[in-house]
Amino acid sequence: MSAAAVPVDLRGRVALVTGGTGGMGRVITAELARAGAHVVTTSRDPRRGEVLRQQVAAEIGDDRVEVLTGDLAVRRDLHRLAAEFAERHDALHLLINNAGAHYRHRWLTPDGVEAHLAVNHLTAFSLTYLLREQLFAAAPARVVNVVSATMSDVRPVPLPGRPRPVSLDLSEVTDVRQLNPESGFAPFAAYARAKLLTTICGYAFADRWREKGVSVNAVHPGIVSTGIVDDITPKVLAPFRSLIHRRLLTPEQGASAALRLAVDADLAATTGQYYVRETPARSPEISYDAATRAAAWRLSEDWVTSPA
């Protein structure tokens, strides 16, 4: 599917796209709006959000983008954003959890959560969980989680040889604040672990909502030319960044994989799946472990439902 042409009429549908002011997010937002959807997106910076809204309106000749402002790394803001959405919209037809970030150093959010975990996992889990009634009301509805194949191989430079999936042991974890600890911290692995948790909890959502008419799938859109690539590029390769970017997918090419899961009629009954671009794939084996899946759900649900 070309990101430049969503081949369905989305008039009357409401979509929520996180991270809409970034590369892929902007494309997804614009193409869904072009197809007729009313698109709600998020931005931490109200100025950037307003620029996006005006740009998309000028491109498509209609004002179909609404911006909610808040910090996706903060639990209080996630609850407020979900409440604001619910006040304005009774139904949510498409939720695309696109927001993501990679950080060079470890830091904690105001809630005491490691930042990779907060932005790359708890944002998606929280909004999906908090907006469940709107998703049920819109059934058939779809949730698309944009994840990363780094969870299957955390070697920064994948050379020939056996892939190294990110480690995940939740057997003694009682609070999400214990995840991605300072001891042995590696940014690339922390990012991959958060994406793995989103994939795992996506499977759990799919299992729980199979009879609700809400599908939940995950997609690795390919290696897309974004700022994340600069953050994860080893220092030794820094002089070659421009060459690296020229070899990567464009945001339009990356967005096409997420858009396909969001609107392709042939995937209407598909749920609980992981795709590498358009191809069904297996996530790391730990993601299919029942105990790990139950623990990931419990930890994430406890965090989102705990008092702020």
Side-chain angles (χ1 to χ4, degrees), residues 202-272:
Y203 294 153
F205 275 119
D207 288 344
R208 284 166 168 76
W209 294 354
R210 200 171 296 273
E211 304 305 319
K212 296 284 189 179
V214 180
S215 68
V216 185
N217 294 293
V219 61
H220 166 61
I223 304 178
V224 180
S225 179
T226 67
I228 289 179
V229 172
D230 291 332
D231 283 337
I232 66 177
T233 299
K235 290 183 179 179
V236 68
L237 297 178
F240 305 100
R241 281 180 181 167
S242 61
L243 176 61
I244 291 171
H245 276 278
R246 287 198 295 270
R247 291 179 163 275
L248 303 180
L249 297 177
T250 65
E252 288 77 15
Q253 290 171 319
S256 68
L259 286 168
R260 175 175 172 268
L261 277 177
V263 304
D264 192 332
D266 291 339
L267 298 175
T270 299
T271 191

Side-chain angles (χ1 to χ4, degrees), residues 170-171 173-175 293-303:
L170 302 179
S171 59
V173 177
T174 59
D175 190 297
R293 192 174 293 188
W297 177 273
R298 173 181 51 77
L299 290 165
S300 302
E301 185 180 40
D302 286 351
W303 185 86

Side-chain angles (χ1 to χ4, degrees), residues 120 145-155 158 163-168 187-203 217-221 232 273-276 281-288:
N120 295 290
N145 292 322
V146 178
V147 296
S148 172
T150 57
M151 60 186 175
S152 297
D153 192 356
V154 292
R155 296 175 299 168
R164 190 170 75 243
V166 68
S167 62
L168 181 66
F188 195 59
Y191 170 80
R193 188 171 295 109
K195 292 295 190 181
L196 173 59
L197 283 164
T198 288
T199 304
I200 290 173
C201 286
Y203 294 153
N217 294 293
V219 61
H220 166 61
I232 66 177
Q273 298 297 313
Y274 165 58
Y275 287 80
V276 174
R282 282 186 70 80
S283 49
E285 290 307 308
I286 191 67
S287 65
Y288 301 101

Side-chain angles (χ1 to χ4, degrees), residues 42 44 72 89 143 264 279 304:
T42 63
R44 185 172 56 182
L72 299 180
H89 305 284
V143 178
D264 192 332
T279 304
V304 74

Side-chain angles (χ1 to χ4, degrees), residues 17-61:
V17 180
T18 61
T21 59
M24 262 184 55
R26 186 196 180 285
V27 175
I28 294 170
T29 297
E31 295 307 328
L32 292 176
R34 198 187 310 277
H38 178 87
V39 185
V40 182
T41 191
T42 63
S43 177
R44 185 172 56 182
D45 181 345
R47 182 186 58 81
R48 289 185 66 190
E50 179 60 18
V51 168
L52 171 68
R53 188 192 66 77
Q54 293 181 6
Q55 287 178 341
V56 174
E59 288 176 18
I60 69 174

